[in-house]
Amino acid sequence: MEDLKSTPLRAAHEGLKALMAPFGGWLMPIQYAGIIAEHRWCRERAALFDICHMGEFLYKGDIVEDGLEGVFTFSVKTIAVGRSRYGFLLNEDGGVIDDLIVFRLAEDEAMIVVNAATTGNDFSVIRSRLKNPAVLTDISSRTGKVDLQGPLSREIMVRHFGPQIVDIPFFKFIRTRILDEDAIVSRTGYTGELGYEIFLPADKVARLWEILLQEPDVAPAGLGARDLLRLEMGYSLYGSDLDEGITPLTAGLSSFVNMDKEFIGKGALQRELAQGSPLAKVAFRVDSRRAPRHHYEILHEGEKVGSVTSGAFSPMLSCGIGLGLVKPSVAALGTRLVIRHERVEMEAEVVELPFYTGGSLRA
Amino acid sequence: MAKFFTKEHEWVEMAGGQATVGISEHAAHELGDITYVELPKIGRSVKQFDTLAGIESVKAASDIYAPISGKVVEVNQALDEAPELVNQGAEAQGWICKLEGVDEGELASLMDAETYGTYLRGL
């Protein structure tokens, strides 16, 4: 593993004896106390995640005139200041270059938050699509990000950062001061729990981490727990459930695509709408504790009909859960499937998302 | 009697002609939280180093190989509901199964605890 990047929290993770592993070009904490314990902590209390590896771009220019409006599958100009929106950057074939969130900071200012592994490519693609590329800056290296997620996160945030936190609705954010620096506190996350994403200058993140960890109800959680948490909600993971060969329509994410506006890849999506998708996304629940995993085969009545894109054992449901891409004819709710890999075989059933419905997300 | 270990991190311990089999504490730690144990069928005969059982953790799915030839006479049924017992005591309450009709001579191809400890330090 050459040239792995480290976040400003690396020393903190090592001090906590975290198991570290490469992820998206970064050396990241996979677990501290244990994946299931951290997962449970997030569902019951408040878990703290190092998300400094994700990329951030700052756009300072006219949203329409300088070209941002046409870049993504959603409209940026209709995002109210103080709100954020999730969607996609597509290639000409409608394939997903990345999934991302745009934060509307001001009339002529937006922050784009992208996946770690795709940061460099996203930056060049987005710039190449702007009429005025100079309006976009990659601020990833100077921007730190930690997520505090869990049912107790609001009261902890209020205690540290003030009563204005109470009123942040889902997918809204505030600009505030934390540790004497400009910060963004956003009511977003990837866990299905009430929670916040905090953006702060990279050199202040270690201090913030330390302060939050002093709270008895806060424990650190690694990428292992994060993956279980997001999968229980059915959230897609770029690189597993989404990639350049999959369109958002195939991936079951059409609600994040606005076909009433122009964007690169729209033509391909219109053709897919007219002709039907070759594959359909399914969520399935395994009959046992066995875990389906990425690339396992999906069969229906003995015939191979697709493959698993994400899978895990769900601690909340006490069974295996997964997402997959299958022939549209076997995607209906209740369809019985068999998941197979070498000598491992498990029976499963197509179910609705989210798998886990008990989260505090909208609390 | 003492435990013997394989390079694949299974252990076997003889008592009253029966061999109790499990995975080592080292293996359980490396796997992380164990979420499922595929127990072998009672009555099945296995050869040394053949696939005996399966184990899954939050991180990976792995095979468990027979450290010794024999016939499965008992399985640790508690693992069906509580596979985390393997994390809590891989070389005790987290045992996988018991074999009979074993050839104790095969133990000679395994490592004793001290040799296994040296082997782990070299990994």
Side-chain angles (χ1 to χ4, degrees):
Chain A
M1 293 300 162
E2 52 204 77
D3 297 335
L4 281 180
K5 287 180 266 189
S6 294
T7 78
L9 295 171
R10 180 174 172 177
H13 302 319
E14 286 170 352
L16 291 163
K17 301 220 180 330
L19 172 71
M20 307 287 285
F23 177 83
W26 294 73
L27 185 64
M28 297 300 294
I30 302 304
Q31 65 171 58
Y32 306 84
I35 291 174
I36 290 182
E38 292 160 32
H39 162 278
R40 179 161 297 275
W41 197 276
C42 183
R43 291 266 179 253
E44 292 175 356
R45 300 181 194 202
L48 188 61
F49 299 84
D50 175 6
I51 309 297
C52 293
H53 59 309
M54 285 183 77
E56 295 88 8
F57 310 142
L58 186 64
Y59 180 96
K60 269 190 160 177
D62 190 282
I63 302 293
V64 177
E65 290 304 309
D66 294 312
L68 192 62
E69 181 62 11
V71 172
F72 306 122
T73 57
F74 54 91
S75 169
V76 176
K77 72 176 181 197
T78 59
I79 307 173
V81 171
R83 285 194 180 267
S84 54
R85 195 169 281 171
Y86 171 83
F88 309 100
L89 176 68
L90 302 185
N91 61 29
E92 291 284 355
D93 300 325
V96 180
I97 296 173
D98 206 2
D99 64 335
L100 47 87
I101 294 183
V102 172
F103 293 75
R104 187 82 185 266
L105 302 179
E107 262 319 297
D108 58 351
E109 206 178 333
M111 181 171 69
I112 304 160
V113 180
V114 302
N115 281 299
T118 48
T119 302
N121 185 50
D122 288 356
F123 187 67
S124 9
V125 171
I126 296 170
R127 265 173 75 106
S128 72
R129 293 182 183 181
L130 297 175
K131 292 175 191 135
N132 175 11
V135 297
L136 194 72
T137 317
D138 184 348
I139 56 164
S140 304
S141 59
R142 63 176 152 101
T143 308
K145 176 177 184 282
V146 296
D147 292 5
L148 186 69
Q149 303 270 309
L152 303 184
S153 60
R154 183 188 282 130
E155 57 187 72
I156 293 161
M157 291 292 288
V158 166
R159 203 147 58 230
H160 287 275
F161 310 119
Q164 72 274 27
I165 305 288
V166 175
D167 300 320
I168 311 177
F170 190 48
F171 266 81
K172 273 194 96 172
F173 64 89
I174 58 165
R175 301 176 84 169
T176 184
R177 299 280 292 175
I178 291 180
L179 300 172
D180 290 324
E181 299 281 353
D182 287 329
I184 291 173
V185 175
S186 169
R187 175 84 187 279
T188 39
Y190 198 46
T191 62
E193 297 300 330
L194 169 68
Y196 302 87
E197 301 186 292
I198 308 165
F199 297 87
L200 193 72
D203 58 359
K204 289 294 170 77
V205 160
R207 181 70 192 126
L208 176 64
W209 178 267
E210 198 180 332
I211 290 169
L212 288 173
L213 273 192
Q214 279 165 8
E215 285 280 342
D217 285 322
V218 175
L223 295 186
R226 189 169 161 90
D227 192 51
L228 289 186
L229 291 157
R230 70 93 193 169
L231 188 58
E232 287 184 331
M233 293 306 291
Y235 298 153
S236 300
L237 172 65
Y238 193 82
S240 293
D241 308 298
L242 293 172
D243 61 45
E244 290 222 34
I246 302 167
T247 72
L249 304 184
T250 302
L253 299 166
S254 56
S255 55
F256 305 103
V257 178
N258 180 350
M259 294 299 282
D260 296 331
K261 69 177 278 287
E262 295 310 311
F263 57 86
I264 289 179
K266 182 178 171 182
L269 299 192
Q270 281 170 328
R271 285 191 295 280
E272 185 177 339
L273 281 173
Q275 294 164 6
S277 302
L279 293 170
K281 173 189 174 166
V282 281
F284 56 88
R285 199 177 154 147
V286 176
D287 294 352
S288 73
R289 294 175 62 102
R290 285 213 106 126
R293 293 172 202 268
H294 188 61
H295 288 321
Y296 280 17
E297 287 186 336
I298 302 179
L299 299 98
H300 176 69
E301 294 176 349
E303 182 205 356
K304 191 187 170 197
V305 292
S307 61
V308 175
T309 55
S310 277
F313 168 76
S314 161
M316 298 314 286
L317 280 68
S318 293
C319 66
I321 56 172
L323 303 175
L325 288 173
V326 295
K327 289 184 180 172
S329 58
V330 298
L333 291 180
T335 307
R336 299 290 301 171
L337 301 171
V338 169
I339 315 298
R340 192 168 70 187
H341 175 71
E342 294 169 355
R343 61 176 197 86
V344 170
E345 207 170 273
M346 57 199 98
E347 294 198 27
E349 184 164 317
V350 178
V351 296
E352 259 182 306
L353 286 177
F355 294 107
Y356 174 63
T357 51
S360 56
L361 181 64
R362 311 257 178 179
Chain B
M1 199 177 149
K3 284 189 176 66
F4 290 87
F5 295 84
T6 69
K7 287 184 177 173
E8 301 289 339
H9 310 287
E10 293 89 9
W11 58 265
V12 54
E13 186 171 30
M14 295 302 304
Q18 275 193 346
T20 303
V21 170
I23 66 165
S24 73
E25 281 173 10
H26 169 81
H29 181 75
E30 289 295 301
L31 283 166
D33 293 323
I34 289 160
T35 53
Y36 176 78
V37 180
E38 179 198 5
L39 296 167
K41 291 222 167 26
I42 289 175
R44 201 181 127 210
S45 290
V46 285
K47 288 242 162 30
Q48 192 181 30
F49 306 132
D50 278 358
T51 304
L52 171 68
I55 192 158
E56 297 190 3
S57 75
V58 284
K59 292 184 209 153
S62 320
D63 286 332
I64 298 173
Y65 303 101
I68 192 167
S69 306
K71 185 172 159 186
V72 179
V73 291
E74 193 181 339
V75 297
N76 188 356
Q77 216 73 58
L79 300 182
D80 273 343
E81 289 303 312
E84 63 272 14
L85 289 173
V86 180
N87 291 116
Q88 291 159 12
E91 296 178 24
Q93 71 267 40
W95 61 276
I96 306 286
C97 67
K98 293 184 181 178
L99 305 175
E100 266 183 15
V102 301
D103 172 7
E104 293 193 32
E106 288 178 349
L107 295 175
S109 60
L110 305 180
M111 293 175 274
D112 62 20
E114 194 188 334
T115 313
Y116 180 64
T118 310
Y119 170 71
L120 289 181
R121 283 191 293 278
L123 287 183

